[in-house]
Amino acid sequence: MANTRTTPSGTPTNVSQKHAQGGIGESTLRPDGTLKVTGEFAYSSDMWHEDMLWGQTLRSPVAHAEIAGIDISEALALPGVYSVLTYADLPAEMKNYGLEIQDTPVLANGRVRHHGEPVALVAADHPETARRAAAKIKVDYRELPVVTDEASALAPDAPLLHEGRDDHHAGHVPHPNIVHRQPIVRGNVEEARKRADVIVEGEYTFGMQDQAFLGPESGLAVPGEDGGVDLYVATQWLHSDLRQIAPVLGLPEEKVRMTLSGVGGAFGGREDISMQIHACLLALATNKPVKMVYNRFESFFGHVHRHPAKLYYEHGATKDGKLTHMKCRIVLDGGAYASASPAVVGNASSLSVGPYVVDDVDIEAVALYTNNPPCGAMRGFGAVQACFAYEAQMDRLAAKLGMDPVEFRQLNAMEQGTIMPTGQVVDSPAPVAELLRRVKARPLPPERQWETAGEGADVRALPGGLSNTTHGEGVVRGVGYAVGIKNVGFSEGFDDYSTARVRLEVIGGEAVAMVHTAMAEVGQGGVTVHAQIARTELGVTHVTIHPADTQVGSAGSTSASRQTYMTGGAVKNTCEAVREKVLEIGRRKNGSYHPAWATAELLLEGGKVVTDGGEVLADIAELLEGEEPIDLELEFRHRPTVAFDLVTGQGDGHVQYTFAAHRAVVEVDTELGLVKVVELACAQDVGKALNPLSVVGQIQGGTTQGLGVAVMEEIIVDPKTAKVRNPSFTDYLIPTILDTPSIPVDYLELADPNAPYGLRGLGEAPTLSSTPAVLAAIRAATGLELAKTPIRPEALTGTL
């Protein structure tokens, strides 16, 4: 029977005395939690070094232009300025970088391709001096026509954003302004269409979303005596940064030493390089430590965003509600540089059907090069845009058939054994119908609560808080549902592995473990889980988490919901090997006179070596006294994946799938166009809740980000100039605690037999389904089609 937990207020149930031990399955508090909420935690922007300089980046004020000349003389003449660098000053032959395609110049080389592209760097003894010096650099821009959408990107006379490109995707795309194209064809859509009693077509628009992490890009580069550099930085993947940084500095990787500093959120926006290379270049040029900290305005230009998308869908169904076919085309705007666009295309295409059984599909997904801001990784990674469209389609089909939208979804829901459009068999639990049943069965919050709460009630205490508060007569209740599917881990043949070093030794008469990985702790709670794993596998109480750096093997990126699976798996793997070393020592010392040492079921618990029957054989600390510390570093890999075929899209491209369902309850003032999201109930299969408190927090956080893109978040880019119009939190709105509804969580624990502890990556799935659930609820309240997100008041009042 499935292990399930319902948490109406976000507090895990069944808290027991055992939680004080802090092992797997327990709600262990985060070691960094108190420091963060009290403001004492040291983030990368808090770093300081004696005699350090401040770095500043000059960015392009136009989106597409030739650089006819750069004059840095006035900037260099300013007192306090130590260095000004342009493309001509870069030290190495390699002058570009990139996650997959090295198409991004460190500094603009004769041409800028997007608003805010870095053009020059300044190092000065004060941040204000650096800013003033950057403003004195004269750049002669000669503007070029801009490419802003598919029509302008693929027009016969379209400017080529990357002429002569020779990357590994260039040979299979029909136009040089297409970064990557992934078709998926299975069955016969034309024949299946003949069996359809109803056909629904839809065109959907998904806006550009910002990760909106609260800690801006920042770091400190310190030149080394060996000619290398030490970089302390907030990032999502130390070793990926290292791989991109070292070549453009002209240094071997061992001379670029990277240490993770405090990260104030990420959500995909720190997968790409921002200030890392620039700070190192200035530190090496001046032979002084250089600190760079973006302000909020610059941060909007300094990292990638979520791909805006146009999605064209067609679904067919029989009169009894069975899906016959699906045809779609997904166009993602990748902006000026590739970033993670190829992988986002793979995700969007392979997950475009959603968690449903459809045997006949014809799918195409592409990403474009344009002069819009570069787009890349963000929580949900291509699956978010697809879910928004296919869930709207499910509601439209259900309405056309006169069926309940939840029952229609359940009738077509995938399950374990379902074959994906890529031909991959889902080989672990897929409780899609059950998740929908759970959110639907939850009691609805009362309507018009301001009237039933009683006189003098504090509206802030009501679900939905002060979000677009309105008590008018035109307030209408709406309820909507959605469910989504997300992959976990890196896909399509990527060599996804993680490394962990574990050291067990006796300190002060007690066995103490140290866990060392390169995992970026960006707020997901990985440092907590790693300690829990070590306590569980090694039976020790005291576990130290070594700071993440590049002195240990790669842990991969903190993205794709993969870190608990992959680096958690590496910690588990290494701890198991350390445990075997402990038992080897025990057998050597004690095995001759105690036959229980010969059994294979010996465990480490509570600082003791015990049999599976609970008999204590030895104290771990006493056993290791006088022995050398046990110190092992091992890698962990998931099962292999393959790249999708470039013609048919077939292939076992993903490691694991995860599912979440939402029910949204909204109140819409149809006269004013105001929306209050009262409740966003979520049900999700997490495989195994390693830390129930963190599980609930991740689900609620992902749900809130999906809420943001549903009703408020969008980077506005001028379609004529490709300039960003709202690069600030004044004009780019994100949900605050006052906008956040009640988010009750109901999670299942259906173990994936292929994963460590049976767990599922869980952080991204709730971001998928919360957005279309909110849109479905608003549609239910208003009767409007609403095919674009985010929803703005003018779309609800007819003033658009």
Side-chain angles (χ1 to χ4, degrees), residues 352-541:
S352 61
V353 172
Y356 304 108
V357 179
V358 188
D359 293 327
D360 299 275
V361 300
D362 186 350
I363 299 162
E364 180 189 35
V366 300
L368 304 174
Y369 278 125
T370 69
N371 292 119
N372 294 325
C375 292
M378 186 174 174
R379 194 176 196 165
F381 204 77
V384 168
Q385 295 92 324
C387 187
F388 167 66
Y390 64 66
E391 284 302 272
Q393 289 284 101
M394 294 302 104
D395 282 334
R396 293 182 66 190
L397 278 168
K400 200 163 187 177
L401 291 165
M403 295 182 66
D404 177 85
V406 171
E407 292 176 1
F408 176 74
R409 287 172 168 85
Q410 290 174 316
L411 180 64
N412 293 284
M414 65 186 297
E415 56 189 15
Q416 187 167 353
T418 291
I419 300 176
M420 296 291 290
T422 59
Q424 184 169 13
V425 178
V426 178
D427 63 354
S428 61
V432 179
E434 173 63 13
L435 296 175
L436 287 162
R437 185 194 68 77
R438 286 171 177 266
V439 291
K440 185 177 182 182
R442 180 176 290 277
L444 286 165
E447 296 192 48
R448 303 182 73 84
Q449 294 180 71
W450 63 89
E451 295 176 355
T452 59
E455 187 175 349
D458 187 347
V459 69
R460 293 173 297 179
L462 301 178
L466 297 176
S467 169
N468 285 331
T469 302
T470 174
H471 298 167
E473 292 300 317
V475 174
V476 181
R477 162 70 60 91
V479 180
Y481 297 88
V483 61
I485 178 174
K486 176 66 177 66
N487 67 308
V488 172
F490 295 149
S491 305
E492 298 191 62
F494 189 93
D495 185 16
D496 190 7
Y497 71 94
S498 191
T499 314
R501 176 186 170 214
V502 177
R503 180 182 176 95
L504 183 65
E505 59 188 320
V506 178
I507 299 176
E510 187 170 358
V512 177
M514 183 273 290
V515 177
H516 184 188
T517 77
M519 180 206 70
E521 172 58 69
V522 302
Q524 82 278 15
V527 292
T528 313
V529 169
H530 291 177
Q532 290 179 275
I533 292 172
R535 293 189 193 105
T536 298
E537 300 300 330
L538 298 178
V540 298
T541 300

Side-chain angles (χ1 to χ4, degrees), residues 649-713:
Q650 300 302 289
D652 289 359
H654 295 309
V655 181
Q656 185 189 60
Y657 297 102
T658 183
F659 310 90
H662 279 89
R663 184 191 68 192
V665 180
V666 306
E667 290 170 349
V668 181
D669 188 320
T670 56
E671 297 170 350
L672 299 178
L674 300 178
V675 176
K676 174 187 281 189
V677 181
V678 176
E679 182 185 84
L680 260 173
C682 183
Q684 183 167 341
D685 176 22
V686 304
K688 169 65 178 177
L690 272 60
N691 186 325
L693 187 62
S694 288
V695 164
V696 172
Q698 283 287 300
I699 292 172
Q700 292 179 331
T703 295
T704 304
Q705 278 192 304
L707 162 67
V709 79
V711 295
M712 59 181 69
E713 293 188 49

Side-chain angles (χ1 to χ4, degrees), residues 72 592 707:
I72 63 173
S592 60
L707 162 67

